[in-house]
Amino acid sequence: MCQQPCSDDDYGYNLFPDRNTAKSKKAFITQSLFTFNHKCQVMLQFAMETSPYAKLLLSAMKSSGCTVYKDRHFSCEDCDGSVSGGFDANSSQIVLCQNNIHQQAHMNRVVTHELIHAFDHCRAHVDWFNNYRHLACSEIRAANLSGDCSFSSEINRFNFGLKNHRQECVRGRALRSILAVRKISHEEAGKIVDEVFDSCFNDTAPFGRIPHTNKDAKFATRHYESRDRYHANV
Protein backbone atom coordinates (compact mmCIF):
# COMPACT_ATOMS: atom_id res chain seq x y z
CA MET A 1 0.00 0.00 0.00
CA CYS A 2 2.98 2.30 0.39
CA GLN A 3 4.31 4.45 -2.41
CA GLN A 4 7.74 4.40 -0.78
CA PRO A 5 9.55 2.14 1.72
CA CYS A 6 7.71 2.10 5.02
CA SER A 7 7.42 0.16 8.23
CA ASP A 8 4.93 -2.65 8.72
CA ASP A 9 2.76 -0.37 10.87
CA ASP A 10 2.39 2.38 8.24
CA TYR A 11 -0.86 2.74 6.31
CA GLY A 12 -2.46 -0.23 8.06
CA TYR A 13 0.01 -2.87 6.85
CA ASN A 14 -0.12 -4.60 10.22
CA LEU A 15 -3.83 -5.34 9.63
CA PHE A 16 -3.09 -7.28 6.45
CA PRO A 17 -0.07 -9.51 7.15
CA ASP A 18 -0.39 -11.40 3.86
CA ARG A 19 0.37 -8.12 2.04
CA ASN A 20 3.94 -8.51 3.31
CA THR A 21 5.63 -10.39 0.48
CA ALA A 22 8.54 -11.26 2.77
CA LYS A 23 6.31 -13.63 4.69
CA SER A 24 6.35 -17.25 3.56
CA LYS A 25 3.46 -18.35 1.36
CA LYS A 26 1.11 -21.11 2.42
CA ALA A 27 1.45 -24.49 0.78
CA PHE A 28 -0.94 -25.35 -2.02
CA ILE A 29 -2.84 -27.75 0.20
CA THR A 30 -4.08 -24.84 2.31
CA GLN A 31 -5.91 -23.57 -0.76
CA SER A 32 -8.00 -26.75 -0.90
CA LEU A 33 -11.76 -26.96 -1.07
CA PHE A 34 -12.03 -27.04 2.70
CA THR A 35 -10.22 -23.80 3.54
CA PHE A 36 -11.38 -20.27 4.29
CA ASN A 37 -9.85 -19.28 0.98
CA HIS A 38 -12.17 -21.45 -1.10
CA LYS A 39 -15.23 -20.28 0.81
CA CYS A 40 -14.10 -16.69 0.33
CA GLN A 41 -13.69 -17.22 -3.42
CA VAL A 42 -17.14 -18.76 -3.73
CA MET A 43 -18.81 -15.95 -1.77
CA LEU A 44 -16.91 -13.34 -3.79
CA GLN A 45 -18.09 -14.86 -7.07
CA PHE A 46 -21.68 -14.93 -5.78
CA ALA A 47 -21.44 -11.28 -4.70
CA MET A 48 -20.12 -10.18 -8.08
CA GLU A 49 -22.88 -12.05 -9.89
CA THR A 50 -25.89 -11.32 -7.69
CA SER A 51 -25.36 -8.22 -5.49
CA PRO A 52 -27.02 -5.23 -7.19
CA TYR A 53 -24.62 -2.93 -5.32
CA ALA A 54 -21.55 -4.74 -6.62
CA LYS A 55 -22.95 -5.16 -10.13
CA LEU A 56 -23.57 -1.42 -10.47
CA LEU A 57 -20.08 -0.54 -9.23
CA LEU A 58 -18.45 -3.07 -11.54
CA SER A 59 -20.40 -1.62 -14.47
CA ALA A 60 -19.51 1.95 -13.49
CA MET A 61 -15.84 1.10 -13.21
CA LYS A 62 -15.85 -0.58 -16.61
CA SER A 63 -17.49 2.52 -18.11
CA SER A 64 -14.78 4.64 -16.47
CA GLY A 65 -12.02 2.58 -18.07
CA CYS A 66 -11.17 0.59 -14.96
CA THR A 67 -12.53 -2.88 -15.66
CA VAL A 68 -12.34 -5.13 -12.60
CA TYR A 69 -11.15 -8.72 -12.99
CA LYS A 70 -11.82 -11.17 -10.20
CA ASP A 71 -8.44 -12.93 -10.27
CA ARG A 72 -6.45 -9.72 -10.69
CA HIS A 73 -8.23 -7.23 -8.47
CA PHE A 74 -9.42 -9.33 -5.51
CA SER A 75 -7.36 -11.29 -3.02
CA CYS A 76 -8.70 -13.47 -0.19
CA GLU A 77 -6.23 -13.31 2.68
CA ASP A 78 -5.91 -13.76 6.42
CA CYS A 79 -6.10 -10.43 8.26
CA ASP A 80 -6.02 -8.95 11.70
CA GLY A 81 -9.14 -9.86 13.65
CA SER A 82 -10.41 -6.26 13.64
CA VAL A 83 -10.92 -5.81 9.89
CA SER A 84 -13.00 -7.39 7.12
CA GLY A 85 -11.35 -5.92 4.05
CA GLY A 86 -9.19 -3.21 2.56
CA PHE A 87 -8.19 -1.47 -0.65
CA ASP A 88 -4.51 -1.57 -1.63
CA ALA A 89 -4.06 1.51 -3.79
CA ASN A 90 -0.54 0.55 -4.84
CA SER A 91 -1.71 -2.63 -6.55
CA SER A 92 -5.33 -1.51 -7.19
CA GLN A 93 -6.36 -4.66 -5.36
CA ILE A 94 -9.16 -5.35 -2.92
CA VAL A 95 -8.27 -7.50 0.09
CA LEU A 96 -11.04 -9.70 1.51
CA CYS A 97 -10.37 -11.06 4.97
CA GLN A 98 -11.18 -14.74 4.55
CA ASN A 99 -10.78 -15.46 8.28
CA ASN A 100 -13.28 -12.75 9.26
CA ILE A 101 -16.02 -13.00 6.59
CA HIS A 102 -18.29 -15.97 7.18
CA GLN A 103 -21.69 -14.93 5.80
CA GLN A 104 -22.76 -13.96 2.29
CA ALA A 105 -24.48 -10.76 3.41
CA HIS A 106 -21.26 -9.67 5.10
CA MET A 107 -19.26 -10.49 1.98
CA ASN A 108 -21.66 -8.46 -0.15
CA ARG A 109 -21.19 -5.39 2.07
CA VAL A 110 -17.41 -5.72 2.19
CA VAL A 111 -17.13 -6.16 -1.58
CA THR A 112 -19.36 -3.13 -2.11
CA HIS A 113 -17.49 -1.02 0.46
CA GLU A 114 -14.11 -1.75 -1.12
CA LEU A 115 -15.42 -1.34 -4.68
CA ILE A 116 -16.49 2.19 -3.72
CA HIS A 117 -12.88 2.89 -2.75
CA ALA A 118 -11.75 1.35 -6.05
CA PHE A 119 -14.30 3.47 -7.94
CA ASP A 120 -13.04 6.62 -6.21
CA HIS A 121 -9.47 5.58 -7.01
CA CYS A 122 -10.43 5.26 -10.67
CA ARG A 123 -12.48 8.42 -11.12
CA ALA A 124 -10.96 10.87 -8.66
CA HIS A 125 -7.25 9.96 -8.45
CA VAL A 126 -7.40 9.90 -4.67
CA ASP A 127 -4.17 10.71 -2.82
CA TRP A 128 -4.64 7.96 -0.23
CA PHE A 129 -1.27 8.34 1.46
CA ASN A 130 -0.76 12.10 1.79
CA ASN A 131 -4.21 13.71 1.86
CA TYR A 132 -6.31 12.70 4.85
CA ARG A 133 -9.31 14.56 3.45
CA HIS A 134 -9.29 12.38 0.35
CA LEU A 135 -9.18 9.28 2.53
CA ALA A 136 -11.95 10.59 4.80
CA CYS A 137 -14.19 11.41 1.84
CA SER A 138 -13.91 7.93 0.38
CA GLU A 139 -14.52 6.35 3.79
CA ILE A 140 -17.64 8.47 4.24
CA ARG A 141 -18.92 7.47 0.81
CA ALA A 142 -18.15 3.80 1.40
CA ALA A 143 -19.94 3.73 4.75
CA ASN A 144 -22.92 5.60 3.32
CA LEU A 145 -23.42 3.72 0.05
CA SER A 146 -22.39 0.13 0.84
CA GLY A 147 -25.15 -0.80 3.25
CA ASP A 148 -22.84 -0.51 6.28
CA CYS A 149 -25.30 1.91 7.85
CA SER A 150 -28.56 0.53 6.51
CA PHE A 151 -31.47 0.11 8.89
CA SER A 152 -31.13 -3.69 8.90
CA SER A 153 -27.37 -3.54 9.54
CA GLU A 154 -27.85 -1.19 12.47
CA ILE A 155 -30.66 -3.31 13.90
CA ASN A 156 -28.36 -6.34 13.77
CA ARG A 157 -25.79 -4.35 15.77
CA PHE A 158 -28.52 -3.32 18.26
CA ASN A 159 -27.90 0.31 17.35
CA PHE A 160 -31.01 2.42 17.46
CA GLY A 161 -31.36 6.12 16.88
CA LEU A 162 -33.70 8.87 15.91
CA LYS A 163 -32.95 11.96 13.82
CA ASN A 164 -29.67 11.89 11.84
CA HIS A 165 -28.89 8.36 13.01
CA ARG A 166 -27.57 7.42 9.57
CA GLN A 167 -25.27 10.42 9.48
CA GLU A 168 -23.85 9.54 12.89
CA CYS A 169 -23.34 5.93 11.83
CA VAL A 170 -21.49 7.00 8.67
CA ARG A 171 -19.40 9.54 10.57
CA GLY A 172 -18.46 7.00 13.24
CA ARG A 173 -17.51 4.24 10.80
CA ALA A 174 -15.46 6.62 8.66
CA LEU A 175 -13.64 7.85 11.75
CA ARG A 176 -12.83 4.33 12.93
CA SER A 177 -11.58 3.34 9.48
CA ILE A 178 -9.19 6.28 9.37
CA LEU A 179 -7.87 5.62 12.87
CA ALA A 180 -7.25 1.97 11.95
CA VAL A 181 -4.83 2.84 9.14
CA ARG A 182 -3.37 6.24 10.04
CA LYS A 183 -1.37 7.32 13.07
CA ILE A 184 -3.30 10.45 13.95
CA SER A 185 -5.24 11.48 17.03
CA HIS A 186 -8.95 10.86 17.43
CA GLU A 187 -9.46 14.63 17.63
CA GLU A 188 -7.59 15.31 14.38
CA ALA A 189 -9.38 12.50 12.53
CA GLY A 190 -12.75 13.77 13.76
CA LYS A 191 -11.99 17.28 12.58
CA ILE A 192 -11.03 16.02 9.11
CA VAL A 193 -14.19 13.92 8.82
CA ASP A 194 -16.36 16.88 9.86
CA GLU A 195 -14.67 19.20 7.33
CA VAL A 196 -15.57 17.03 4.34
CA PHE A 197 -18.64 15.27 5.68
CA ASP A 198 -21.50 17.17 4.02
CA SER A 199 -20.09 17.21 0.49
CA CYS A 200 -18.93 13.58 0.63
CA PHE A 201 -22.12 12.29 2.27
CA ASN A 202 -24.11 13.88 -0.55
CA ASP A 203 -21.83 12.48 -3.26
CA THR A 204 -23.78 9.36 -4.19
CA ALA A 205 -22.08 8.48 -7.50
CA PRO A 206 -22.57 6.11 -9.23
CA PHE A 207 -25.85 5.26 -7.44
CA GLY A 208 -27.54 8.61 -7.97
CA ARG A 209 -29.03 8.47 -4.48
CA ILE A 210 -28.40 6.51 -1.30
CA PRO A 211 -29.40 2.86 -1.90
CA HIS A 212 -31.11 1.87 1.34
CA THR A 213 -32.08 -1.61 0.12
CA ASN A 214 -31.33 -4.11 -2.64
CA LYS A 215 -34.43 -2.80 -4.40
CA ASP A 216 -32.96 0.71 -4.41
CA ALA A 217 -29.66 -0.66 -5.75
CA LYS A 218 -31.45 -2.53 -8.54
CA PHE A 219 -33.31 0.64 -9.49
CA ALA A 220 -30.04 2.56 -9.50
CA THR A 221 -28.48 -0.09 -11.75
CA ARG A 222 -31.32 0.18 -14.28
CA HIS A 223 -31.09 3.97 -14.19
CA TYR A 224 -27.31 3.89 -14.67
CA GLU A 225 -27.46 1.45 -17.55
CA SER A 226 -30.08 3.57 -19.36
CA ARG A 227 -28.37 6.93 -18.67
CA ASP A 228 -27.34 7.49 -22.30
CA ARG A 229 -30.57 6.45 -23.99
CA TYR A 230 -32.27 9.81 -23.70
CA HIS A 231 -29.38 11.71 -25.23
CA ALA A 232 -29.01 9.09 -27.97
CA ASN A 233 -32.61 9.68 -29.04
CA VAL A 234 -32.58 13.48 -28.95
Side-chain angles (χ1 to χ4, degrees), residues 5 21 26 32 34 57 70 83 90 93 97-98 142 150 152 154 156 179 183 187 198 205 207 214 222:
T21 56
K26 298 179 180 68
S32 70
F34 304 100
L57 285 159
K70 177 176 177 286
V83 294
N90 259 1
Q93 193 169 53
C97 298
Q98 60 192 22
S150 68
S152 59
E154 284 293 88
N156 289 335
L179 291 173
K183 293 180 178 178
E187 181 180 5
D198 288 342
F207 291 91
N214 279 343
R222 290 196 298 270

Side-chain angles (χ1 to χ4, degrees), residues 115-158:
L115 278 173
I116 291 168
H117 290 321
F119 177 75
D120 288 347
H121 185 68
C122 174
R123 69 162 184 158
H125 307 293
V126 178
D127 185 351
W128 301 99
F129 306 103
N130 302 305
N131 192 320
Y132 289 169
R133 286 170 178 78
H134 285 189
L135 172 64
C137 189
S138 191
E139 291 294 355
I140 289 166
R141 281 176 32 77
N144 189 32
L145 301 174
S146 65
D148 287 346
C149 288
S150 68
F151 179 76
S152 59
S153 294
E154 284 293 88
I155 289 294
N156 289 335
R157 300 184 193 110
F158 299 101

Side-chain angles (χ1 to χ4, degrees), residues 51-72:
S51 167
Y53 293 82
K55 289 170 69 175
L56 173 54
L57 285 159
L58 291 169
S59 177
M61 290 192 66
K62 183 176 181 179
S63 297
S64 299
C66 300
T67 301
V68 175
Y69 299 98
K70 177 176 177 286
D71 293 337
R72 162 64 182 86

Side-chain angles (χ1 to χ4, degrees), residues 97-108:
C97 298
Q98 60 192 22
N99 55 319
N100 297 329
I101 304 175
H102 305 297
Q103 296 180 342
Q104 187 63 52
H106 187 193
M107 174 62 79
N108 292 353

Side-chain angles (χ1 to χ4, degrees), residues 56 215 217-227 229:
L56 173 54
K215 183 177 180 180
K218 289 178 181 178
F219 177 82
T221 300
R222 290 196 298 270
H223 180 76
Y224 183 85
E225 291 175 346
S226 63
R227 66 195 183 285
R229 292 178 184 174

